[in-house]
Every structure is written in structure tokens, then in C-alpha cells.
Amino acid sequence: MTSKTLTIALAAKKLRTKEVSSLELTRDCLRRVATSKLNAFTTVDEAGALRSAKEADKLIGSGKAEPLTGIPLAIKDVISTKGLRTTASSKILDNYIPPFDATVIAKLKAQKAVILGKTNLDEFAMGSSTENSAYGATLNPIDPERVPGGSSGGSAAAVAGDLCLGSLGSDTGGSIRQPASLCGLYGFKPTYGRVSRYGLLAMASSLDQIGPLSKTATDMKVLFDAIAGYDRLDATSIAKPLPKAKDIKKLKIGVPKEYFESQGLSKDVRKSVEAGIEKLQKIGCQIKPVSLPTSPYALAVYYLIMPVEVASNLARFDGIKYGASTIDSSKTLADVYFKTRSKYFGAEAKRRIILGTYVSSAGYYDAYYGQAEKARLVIARDFERVFREVDVIVGPTSPTTAFKFGEKADDPLAMYLSDIYTVPINLAGVPSVSVPAEPVGELPVGMQITGPKDADLTILNLAVAYEDACQKGKS
Amino acid sequence: MAKTNISPKDVARIADLARLELDAQSLECYADQLRQILKYVASVHEVTDQTGGDDNATTPHHELKNISREDGVADDNVGTEELLRNTPSQTGDMISVPIILGEKV
């Protein structure tokens, strides 16, 4: 019995029938992590994982197992875990040990899920390849010469490389969906406010959302169910319960023409996504061409709003309260700020802090940040208009398959363009999943399904129906 | 339209505001990259032309209202000792910092 072929749903079943214990599953995953060359983890918590596994086995023995009891999971290293090092893959938090759990972690622990450790990411979740990590890049398990995507690249590689059964990531402009796409997984960015951000190290607070990465659509649903819900500790958390899912077979699916007109879209990815749309048609969904005329501008809007929030959020790293510091060698307070931040922030973090400071500074605010905020609303309204015509929209998750290391590392703009399909969704705050489409050769392709605000359960159910249709196609 | 011909000197001024020290080579490199990025993001004006002068337009979360919660003591607070465990420099149960008065910030 190995974890390699297991999904969360199957493992939960085997745990309940005592075919396997959580301790066996956990040991198997830890063995695999120890010999893995993917660099998916920043910190492995062997002792903690084994302890949780034993507790989980007791709970299962008493017949009180919940869907994630005893399931070995991996957590993006930007989510606070009490007593377990949380670095955001930045040298500035190299030794930081959170004194509290993020709400999502508390929820996983309440179910007695097993947390194997923390996964690698682009520093402070800024990047699309995991090459910006202070702890080295993560490799794509499908082709180790290629990036796993980012910023949740470690969380994606850990699942795709069979080092765990599922993982949590965070998504500010595509950081769950793009790595899911590049590693052949399911990934979900929920409606803004549906999963608590308490304990998530903030990148851009109006865009950030925690969500799952998994091998199957059913697992994605199980993970979402576990972490979703109102939280008084997050002021943007939504208290109203999620509405029920719509009938999948009656869904009207919009295909925005702009998604297929963009120059950067690879022909192979296009073909693969078109085949995926045909599968949705076979389920019984009605396909309708629609238009999202503002979507080509979304990336420009994103790269004005996000850096301003980044500059503001990363101002807290000053070498005084926590994290790495030059305080012992600095003579004045200002010196601590300058030296600490300059020494321990990586190049991309600095680039975005400077960009965000520039476009929000006196004299430039109105021309840049102010305009972007207005444009953001136009984009959100564009989505609202389309969702009066159709129930969900479908398109590619990423314009290309996984690219090679170094290919875009020296050209920030080229790297930013790999998020062209994912960022509009964060600007509008709507929910979106990436599901695997037909691969191009060995390389996975993702299809993105997006719904209006609070249609989380509808698009998750559609992902499950799509997965079923793909399975039937194979057998 | 704001200028997009940002110079290394501009970057130095902004870096100072953001409490970052950059060497001459980094200033050149960031200036060059910021020029490209700012040229790209300038297209945002083509979108705002469609707002019809809606100056109150802000984020799509604009329907969010200020919320308040009961003014009580939470029982899940983190204690002083635990909080100070990550502090780089401390004296007793206080965070200590270098001299503040008299310096140029």
C-alpha cells in the first residue's frame, strides 16, 4: 500500500475500513519527501506529522473520522502554522515561528488532518515559476527541466510528485490555478471572502485567497469544504452561507472570444482547451460565445493595484518586531529599516515595492493607482454583465504549458504575461477552478472555469462532472 | 498621463521612501524594468475612459460595509512571552530599538 496511487477520497475510505493506518500513509509520504529531488518543501515536520497521524488513528478507531482525518497534506509556506517555521520563502522570515495558527490550519487540525510540512513558493507569493524563492526553485515533477508554475509551485509539485495527498496554496493573481495547470492538477480560487485570510502572510489583501490543489475534483471539494466558512478574525469574511449549486446539466457556458484572440496563446493549448469545452458540451451544458472586452487590460490594472498593496503590506518587515534583522549592527532606527530590508528581501520583492511606491506616490497616484482602481470596477462590471447571460465562463488557465527554467527569469514583463487569464478573476473577486485538459505531449494543460461571486459550489460540481466525463472517455 | 521615462535618480528617490538601499547597478536595472512595466500598464487609461467619469468607482468589493464586532475580551489572544519569542532585540518583556531622537529619517 503506497500513497502514490491514492486520492484523498480513496485514502479516507481505506482508513475507515482499516486497510491502512494514517501512520503508515504518513510514513510513506515522509519517506518519499526525504528522497525527493523536487525541492517542494521548505520545512518538513516529521515529528509533528507522526504525532498527528497517531492521534488521527485513535480518532478513526473510535469511529469519529471526518473527511480529512489522517490524510497527509502539505501547506504553502505563506500560511501561519503555530510552532512550525513559516518563511514565505524569504530570507527576511528565515527563522520566523508563528505563535498562532491561520484559521485554515486550525480547521484542518480540528479534523485531525496530518500536516507534513511547508511548501516552497516565490518569495511572498510573487512570481509564476517558484524561481523567486530564497530557498531555490522547485522542479516540475512531469519534466524536471521545467518550472512547476507559481507562486504555489511547491504545493503543486508536492501533490503531482506524490509527496502528499493534497495541499493548500494561495492565489492573488493565479498562484493556485497556474501551477495546477502546469502540473496537471485541480486547483481552486474561491470567491473572495469565502475562505478566511487570517494567518495568511499578506501579499495584496484585496486579491489574496487561500484554496486547495488536488489530484481529483472530488478531493478539491473535500478540501474546500474543510477550510471555507465565516471567520470573525477576517474582516472581509462573508457570513452569509454559500448558495446551493445549480443543476450542472442545465448550465449555460460562455466562451469569451478575447481569451482565444490573445497573441500569446499557444496553438496546442488552444486546441486542448477547445477539446475540453466539447466535453462540457457532452455533459449537457449549452455553449455560447460571449465577450469580455476589458479582459485584455486586466493585467495592466493588476500590475498597478497589486504592487501598491504589496508595498504597503511588506512595510511591516522592518527588523524590529520579528524576522531577520540587522539591529545588532545598526546604529539608528532608520539604519535598521534600510539595512534589514535591503539585505533580506529578494529582487522581485524589491521590484514590486518600488513599483508600488512609485505609482502611489504624490503626483503619480491619480494617474496610476487611482485610474487602476476605477478600471478594476469596470472589469468587475464586465464580468457581472456576462454572468447575466451565462452561468459560467471557460477558457485557458495559462497561455502556455510549463516553460523551462531561466526562460523568463530576466524579463519581469514576460513572466507577468503568463498570468494573463488568471488575474482578471482576482480583480473581480469571483471563484475559479483550473481543471486538467488534454496534455500536449507529456506537458499538462489547464482549463479555467469561472463563475459569478458565490457560485463556488456550482463550479466545483461542474469540475467533478467534467472529471467523470474525462474518465468515461478513457475507459 | 504621468511620465514613463523613469530615471535611476527617480528610482533612488522612491527606494528611499520605501526604506530600501540600492547600488548603482540595481538602480539602472530597476529603472529600465520599471520603464517597460509602466509603458505596459499605461493602457489602463483605455479602460477608465469607459467609466463615464464615475469618480466614486473603487474596488469591486465596494458593496462591503464597515462591520463591528462585540467589544469583548477574546480568549484566544497570544501572550506577551510567545509574541516576543520572534523579536530580534528585547529588554525584559519589551522590544528594544536603537536611538530614535536626533536622527534623520
Side-chain angles (χ1 to χ4, degrees):
Chain A
M1 184 73 252
T2 75
S3 61
K4 198 171 162 80
T5 49
L6 278 184
T7 63
I8 292 175
L10 191 59
K13 214 166 144 191
K14 287 180 188 288
L15 284 169
R16 264 172 223 177
T17 55
K18 310 275 162 65
E19 205 178 310
V20 67
S21 71
S22 173
L23 196 58
E24 286 172 286
L25 269 183
T26 303
R27 281 197 174 126
D28 188 53
C29 287
L30 288 169
R31 256 196 305 271
R32 225 184 281 282
V33 171
T35 55
S36 167
K37 301 226 176 347
L38 298 173
N39 194 30
F41 283 80
T42 48
T43 305
V44 180
D45 184 18
E46 191 175 332
L50 293 174
R51 199 171 49 238
S52 309
K54 282 176 200 160
E55 287 171 14
D57 281 331
K58 260 190 218 153
L59 192 68
I60 295 163
S62 68
K64 287 179 190 154
E66 293 189 67
L68 290 174
T69 307
I71 304 291
L73 302 173
I75 308 295
K76 187 178 185 180
D77 203 12
V78 76
I79 299 171
S80 303
T81 42
K82 187 175 179 173
L84 182 61
R85 190 173 83 128
T86 300
T87 69
S89 285
S90 177
K91 286 289 177 200
I92 212 162
L93 286 177
D94 193 40
N95 294 313
Y96 174 64
I97 297 175
F100 64 94
D101 273 326
T103 296
V104 293
I105 299 299
K107 281 173 178 264
L108 293 182
K109 285 183 178 172
Q111 287 207 17
K112 289 269 177 267
V114 175
I115 293 169
L116 295 167
K118 310 298 287 288
T119 55
N120 200 16
L121 62 143
D122 288 290
E123 184 177 1
F124 283 103
M126 298 182 214
S128 312
S129 67
T130 323
E131 287 167 295
N132 292 335
S133 168
Y135 305 100
T138 296
L139 312 185
N140 190 319
I142 288 103
D143 178 350
E145 284 182 12
R146 291 171 192 272
V147 303
S151 63
S152 311
S155 287
V159 179
D162 283 310
L163 308 179
C164 62
L165 296 189
S167 64
L168 293 189
S170 66
D171 191 315
T172 307
S175 281
I176 290 171
R177 290 160 287 155
Q178 186 254 17
S181 167
L182 270 46
C183 291
L185 300 172
Y186 289 81
F188 179 38
K189 186 210 86 80
T191 297
Y192 184 81
R194 283 301 172 186
V195 174
S196 170
R197 290 183 295 112
Y198 178 72
L200 171 69
L201 276 64
M203 173 188 165
S205 309
S206 78
L207 303 157
D208 294 342
Q209 196 62 191
I210 296 172
L213 292 106
S214 59
K215 292 180 197 170
T216 70
T218 307
D219 287 0
M220 178 165 67
K221 246 182 108 173
V222 169
L223 285 165
F224 174 68
D225 283 346
I227 60 171
Y230 173 71
D231 180 17
R232 70 177 176 85
L233 298 173
D234 174 358
T236 55
S237 182
I238 303 172
K240 226 163 82 181
L242 266 178
K244 279 189 187 140
K246 287 189 174 177
D247 183 355
I248 297 307
K249 287 185 177 153
K250 289 182 185 156
L251 288 185
K252 255 193 232 165
I253 295 184
V255 181
K257 66 178 168 58
E258 291 82 4
Y259 285 10
F260 294 89
E261 282 167 358
S262 99
Q263 285 175 348
L265 178 63
S266 113
K267 272 185 195 151
D268 292 332
V269 170
R270 182 190 172 129
K271 244 169 83 182
S272 174
V273 172
E274 282 170 347
I277 294 171
E278 270 175 39
K279 282 205 180 92
L280 293 175
Q281 206 164 7
K282 277 183 194 151
I283 297 170
C285 302
Q286 191 191 327
I287 310 292
K288 190 183 167 187
V290 292
S291 174
L292 275 170
T294 57
S295 70
Y297 300 101
L299 199 68
V301 175
Y302 178 78
Y303 272 93
L304 285 168
I305 289 174
M306 175 273 295
V308 172
E309 296 190 24
V310 164
S312 170
N313 275 322
L314 296 196
R316 77 191 66 185
F317 299 100
D318 55 6
I320 303 295
K321 301 180 290 296
Y322 47 80
S325 178
T326 63
I327 199 159
D328 290 335
S329 58
S330 296
K331 287 200 173 59
T332 66
L333 189 64
D335 204 29
V336 180
Y337 297 160
F338 277 101
K339 293 273 180 342
T340 298
R341 292 163 63 78
S342 306
K343 186 173 176 187
Y344 296 109
F345 276 137
E348 183 64 22
K350 287 178 186 167
R351 183 158 35 240
R352 295 197 193 186
I353 291 171
I354 289 169
L355 179 59
T357 307
Y358 181 76
V359 299
S360 59
S361 62
Y364 300 99
Y365 180 96
D366 287 338
Y368 288 120
Y369 184 68
Q371 291 296 317
E373 279 288 310
K374 285 179 190 168
R376 179 177 185 174
L377 189 62
V378 179
I379 289 168
R381 282 179 183 159
D382 215 12
F383 274 102
E384 282 168 19
R385 180 188 51 73
V386 163
F387 287 130
R388 281 194 289 272
E389 293 174 40
V390 293
D391 299 299
V392 300
I393 54 172
V394 183
T397 305
S398 170
T400 64
T401 52
F403 43 93
K404 290 199 169 168
F405 287 102
E407 207 177 303
K408 300 181 184 190
D410 296 327
D411 186 350
L413 196 54
M415 186 72 90
Y416 297 169
L417 283 165
S418 57
D419 295 332
I420 194 145
Y421 296 119
T422 48
V423 295
I425 279 106
N426 298 73
L427 290 172
V430 297
S432 184
V433 295
S434 181
V435 301
E438 273 302 307
V440 175
E442 289 275 283
L443 297 176
V445 172
M447 178 169 79
Q448 182 172 252
I449 305 172
T450 305
K453 270 185 191 171
D454 287 342
D456 301 56
L457 301 179
T458 301
I459 60 172
L460 285 171
N461 281 358
L462 183 57
V464 172
Y466 168 82
E467 183 179 40
D468 287 346
C470 292
Q471 296 293 340
K472 274 178 202 152
K474 275 179 196 160
S475 57
Chain B
M1 184 66 228
K3 65 170 187 174
T4 51
N5 58 337
I6 182 167
S7 69
K9 214 175 133 192
D10 293 325
V11 176
R13 185 180 65 83
I14 293 300
D16 195 55
L17 289 173
R19 304 287 181 261
L20 287 171
E21 280 172 350
L22 299 174
D23 58 25
Q25 200 191 346
S26 303
L27 289 176
E28 283 282 350
C29 175
Y30 280 136
D32 189 43
Q33 290 171 343
L34 290 192
R35 269 196 297 275
Q36 287 178 43
I37 296 167
L38 289 172
K39 203 173 142 196
Y40 176 78
V41 299
S43 67
V44 71
H45 293 268
E46 294 171 36
V47 182
T48 47
D49 288 348
Q50 301 175 29
T51 52
D54 182 358
D55 284 335
N56 295 319
T58 54
T59 77
H61 312 309
H62 60 103
E63 72 277 18
L64 288 176
K65 291 182 179 62
N66 281 334
I67 53 165
S68 51
R69 63 175 177 241
E70 212 176 311
D71 185 18
V73 179
D75 55 5
D76 49 0
N77 288 324
V78 178
T80 312
E81 200 184 316
E82 244 179 315
L83 271 179
L84 284 174
R85 239 172 246 159
N86 283 296
T87 303
S89 176
Q90 63 187 85
T91 308
D93 60 357
M94 288 176 287
I95 295 172
S96 56
V97 296
I99 187 163
I100 299 171
L101 291 175
E103 64 171 299
K104 186 176 158 277
V105 177

